[in-house]
Amino acid sequence: MSLISVKEEKCVSCGLCGETCPMGLISFDDSRYPQEREGAEGTCVSCGHCVSVCPNGALALAKYDESEFKAVNESLVLKTEHVEQLIKSRRSIRKFKQTKIEKRDFEKLFDIARYAPTGGNSQLVNWIAVNSRDLVKKIGDAAVEHFKNLIVEKHPVTQRYPFEKMIAYYEEGHDFMFRGAPALIITCAPAEYGLGAVDSTIALSYLDLAAASLNIGCCWAGFFMIAASGSEQIRKMLNIPDHFVFTGCLMAGYSDEKYMTIPPRNRAKVTWMD
Ligand SMILES: Cc1cc2nc3c(=O)[nH]c(=O)nc-3n(C[C@H](O)[C@H](O)[C@H](O)COP(=O)(O)O)c2cc1C
């Protein structure tokens, strides 16, 4: 079966579909209409760019129904100052209301974050939504137990952070791991796919930015990420399948803090090479 079909009455042979295909699978060599190159079927990454770039709706991909391509709402295009404000005013949130995150809010965030770019449009990021403070606490406890093992093993990472002090602090009731968050947003990806950590980091960052619009605050759980990447017990608690790797975690909850100003950050270190 062909990958693409062309509505010839709509096609103006502008060539945009061929230019945009990341794999160079569309040619106009033998026809004034786009044609897929030989062997295209196993190479197409199904990104849909050829269809989306066509100004006349002349192209269809067999894999997708036409109705799956959504119109871009031109009236909602953001100005740079809006995007700048969104990005610069995002903060790591460490004070959370103890209410559960509404499932529809979670679903909205996953629905946005699934549009983050992925290597070869692979879309292999899997999400785990932990939406129970009790469970978050148990997972935090397991991470602290793992830190204790790392100290016994004299793992090199224990030279980097004052793990003994941190554990004592945790056991006094200070949740440095998850800051009392009622939820965790965790990613995992198939181990054999080499870009799972990159794709997950991008997707989690998209989600983090989108979350503020629902008053959901997030914070990267780096200490937990150290523990989770090496703990079989945490893998089991999270039901991460055997052939998957843990790739990232944000603590999350409705925000119980508000920042009045944007704190300073270093100037961008740029080497200009024009
Ligand atoms: C990879 C990574 C790991 C982090 N781990 C933690 C963490 O374990 N606990 C925490 O409170 N903050 C953590 N943070 C948040 C940083 O401390 C925070 O991004 C930084 O201080 C800047 O603040 P801002 O995000 O509000 O701009 C982490 C951030 C990143 C990017």
Side-chain angles (χ1 to χ4, degrees), residues 75-251:
S75 68
L76 277 182
V77 173
L78 297 174
K79 293 196 166 127
T80 307
E81 68 219 61
H82 296 136
V83 179
E84 184 177 3
Q85 157 117 328
L86 171 74
I87 292 175
K88 290 189 176 175
S89 64
R90 178 216 55 82
R91 293 274 70 75
S92 295
I93 295 299
R94 300 186 178 85
K95 200 171 163 210
F96 303 97
K97 294 187 177 136
Q98 282 311 306
T99 31
K100 259 180 187 289
I101 295 182
E102 297 277 347
K103 192 143 184 242
R104 63 165 188 273
D105 286 348
F106 255 133
E107 279 168 351
K108 184 76 195 164
L109 293 179
F110 293 134
D111 185 49
I112 294 171
R114 73 194 170 96
Y115 281 84
T118 56
N121 194 33
S122 53
Q123 302 175 72
L124 290 169
V125 175
N126 281 234
W127 301 92
I128 300 165
V130 180
N131 201 12
S132 144
R133 175 60 202 162
D134 287 349
L135 200 46
V136 171
K137 173 76 172 62
K138 283 188 188 131
I139 294 167
D141 291 348
V144 166
E145 287 313 304
H146 187 70
F147 279 179
K148 289 179 184 169
N149 295 338
L150 294 179
I151 292 171
V152 173
E153 283 169 25
K154 295 190 169 37
H155 191 285
V157 77
T158 59
Q159 304 301 308
R160 280 183 80 88
Y161 304 99
F163 274 24
E164 264 129 357
K165 279 192 197 146
M166 286 157 59
I167 292 167
Y169 192 59
Y170 188 85
E171 289 176 344
E172 282 164 20
H174 302 280
D175 180 9
F176 74 84
M177 200 71 74
F178 295 134
R179 306 279 171 169
L184 301 177
I185 299 168
I186 291 170
T187 51
C188 59
E192 81 279 359
Y193 170 61
L195 297 174
V198 180
D199 289 359
S200 299
T201 306
I202 300 169
L204 284 161
S205 297
Y206 270 46
L207 187 148
D208 184 13
L209 281 169
S213 66
L214 296 167
N215 196 35
I216 293 174
C218 301
C219 181
W220 284 89
F223 288 121
F224 172 68
M225 284 160 63
I226 292 171
S229 7
S231 160
E232 200 45 44
Q233 195 201 344
I234 294 173
R235 281 184 73 90
K236 282 197 186 124
M237 291 175 91
L238 297 173
N239 290 320
I240 295 178
D242 282 347
H243 59 292
F244 273 54
V245 282
F246 165 91
T247 49
C249 175
L250 293 172
M251 44 190 121

